Amino acid sequence: MESKKVFAKSSGRLDKVLSEIIGVSRNQVEKLIKGGFVKINGKLVSKPSFKVEVEQEIEYSLPEPEKKDFSDINIDIDVLYEDDDVLVLNKPANLVVHPAPSVKEPTLVDWLRKRGVRLSTISGEERNGIVHRLDKDTTGAILIAKNNYAHENLSKQLQDRSMGRYYLAVINYPLKDNIVVDKPIARNPKNRLKMAIVEGGKEAKSAFAKIDLSRKNHELIAAKLFSGRTHQIRVHLSSLGRHILGDKLYGYKESGECMMLHAYMLYFLHPKSGKLIEIKAPISRCMQDFIEMNFNKEIVNEKLNSIKTLFEFANS
């Protein structure tokens, strides 16, 4: 079992201090602490609220992934990039990223284990390798860490925004203009399956850029995330009175074979070389067919080829 020693840079709760040092969520660190994987000055500590003082030695161990039978997992997933440290996949629709008590079907993590990919363990055994998540019905680029060094590095990039993602979506009604939405998100108090704009929720910021309008008044847009909250794009669009086609959870009832939300482009600094890597994920067949039938191909291709420039308004 891999272990590592660090020194507290500030005083405070153990889960908060260690989370800031290794660049993962407090929830993930809490699981390490409660699982008996964290020591302070050589003594095992099991309470996330334990008070840590500056310069105290914190030793944490990373659990080995649980062994499971993956013989019945049969999922096709395209690999977009792979080396010894990272893996980028084009996630299909209707696939949950990581196991949970309520999830009965195979997950992306299960597929990775069956494939024999060596994964980071810092997030706990049920989230091996997962740096950021995609909703079950969202397709597109997802980044996987193959070791703990890469995972810590990439998690810090998520926090400082040197790593980022651009999404494509088809919405039911056009935006008035390009727009930045900066509204806090938390669990919907009236429906636990949904998230909502809630005062006192977690900070969340998204930018939306117009791409093309269809004859039926649907609009193809691009989205850039400045944070990574659950259902963030869907919640922020809903706050604007807009909904993604095929997204039945957030109120748009028009039938469709798929939810038209795709993680189109992912960029990050390689954890070892520091080189900027940009990867585009081919759009799912369902969404691609809809775009080709309803939007101007030349306009769409021109804007997708320079997708970063669409968000210059958000950086001012």
Side-chain angles (χ1 to χ4, degrees):
M1 182 180 297
E2 180 182 355
S3 65
K4 194 171 184 179
K5 293 181 179 180
V6 295
F7 293 91
K9 298 178 181 179
S10 60
S11 61
R13 288 176 57 107
L14 173 58
D15 56 352
K16 184 175 186 295
V17 171
L18 186 54
S19 172
E20 292 172 349
I21 293 174
I22 65 179
V24 300
S25 73
R26 285 175 66 174
N27 183 55
Q28 292 167 354
V29 170
E30 182 179 332
K31 290 180 180 179
L32 287 178
I33 298 168
K34 290 182 176 180
F37 297 106
V38 179
K39 295 179 180 179
I40 302 294
N41 291 339
K43 294 183 178 180
L44 193 66
V45 175
S46 59
K47 291 185 177 181
S49 60
F50 182 88
K51 180 70 179 296
V52 178
E53 301 297 337
V54 177
E55 294 300 323
Q56 277 192 308
E57 180 187 86
I58 306 173
E59 180 180 356
Y60 62 96
S61 301
L62 301 168
E64 295 295 329
E66 179 185 0
K67 302 295 183 182
K68 287 186 177 180
D69 178 16
F70 305 116
S71 58
D72 60 343
I73 298 174
N74 186 22
I75 307 169
D76 291 326
I77 304 178
D78 293 332
V79 176
L80 304 178
Y81 177 89
E82 184 173 12
D83 60 28
D84 291 340
D85 300 292
V86 298
L87 171 66
V88 181
L89 303 173
N90 192 2
K91 181 184 120 28
N94 199 34
L95 178 64
V96 176
V97 171
H98 54 74
S102 61
V103 177
K104 307 303 179 185
E105 70 269 26
T107 66
L108 178 63
V109 167
D110 293 332
W111 180 88
L112 288 164
R113 291 177 182 170
K114 180 183 178 182
R115 191 172 178 266
V117 178
R118 184 175 183 270
L119 301 170
S120 70
T121 58
I122 197 167
S123 297
E125 63 186 24
E126 77 276 16
R127 298 189 183 212
N128 290 146
I130 302 302
V131 178
H132 66 98
R133 58 182 176 264
L134 291 178
D135 297 339
K136 178 179 180 179
D137 292 320
T138 302
T139 59
I142 185 167
L143 178 60
I144 310 297
K146 297 174 74 174
N147 55 65
N148 290 314
Y149 174 82
H151 198 138
E152 291 181 25
N153 182 282
L154 294 168
S155 294
K156 289 176 181 176
Q157 289 188 45
L158 268 179
Q159 293 179 350
D160 66 22
R161 304 301 160 208
S162 50
M163 171 187 166
R165 293 151 286 169
Y166 294 97
Y167 289 75
L168 300 177
V170 180
I171 56 176
N172 62 324
Y173 190 74
L175 298 171
K176 293 180 180 179
D177 202 350
N178 295 339
I179 188 172
V180 173
V181 179
D182 193 349
K183 297 179 180 179
I185 291 176
R187 186 69 59 184
N188 189 320
K190 297 180 180 179
N191 184 342
R192 302 300 293 174
L193 295 177
K194 299 171 69 174
M195 308 299 286
I197 304 299
V198 177
E199 185 176 353
K202 292 183 178 180
E203 179 183 344
K205 180 180 177 182
S206 310
F208 300 104
K210 298 161 71 70
I211 294 180
D212 194 29
L213 189 65
S214 77
R215 292 183 296 275
K216 294 182 179 180
N217 218 32
H218 296 144
E219 187 168 44
L220 177 64
I221 64 170
K224 176 177 171 59
L225 297 182
F226 295 87
S227 53
R229 308 306 174 203
T230 301
H231 299 176
Q232 180 172 319
I233 290 174
R234 300 156 75 184
V235 172
H236 277 170
L237 283 172
S238 183
S239 75
L240 299 173
R242 308 296 190 271
H243 303 287
I244 298 169
L245 267 62
D247 184 3
K248 297 177 177 61
L249 181 61
Y250 283 88
Y252 194 60
K253 304 302 182 183
E254 180 173 313
S255 62
E257 293 182 10
C258 60
M259 184 172 74
M260 296 198 187
L261 177 61
H262 179 74
Y264 177 66
M265 180 175 165
L266 172 71
Y267 64 89
F268 60 96
L269 302 177
H270 192 277
K272 289 284 181 64
S273 69
K275 178 183 177 183
L276 176 64
I277 295 179
E278 297 180 346
I279 297 172
K280 293 180 179 179
I283 301 170
S284 67
R285 187 72 265 163
C286 174
M287 186 171 174
Q288 183 65 41
D289 288 345
F290 186 91
I291 291 173
E292 290 177 356
M293 290 177 60
N294 293 279
F295 298 97
N296 185 301
K297 183 177 180 180
E298 291 184 2
I299 292 175
V300 171
N301 288 341
E302 179 184 356
K303 292 191 176 181
L304 293 190
N305 285 336
S306 55
I307 192 167
K308 284 187 173 182
T309 64
L310 297 180
F311 293 93
E312 291 176 350
F313 73 93
N315 300 321
S316 59

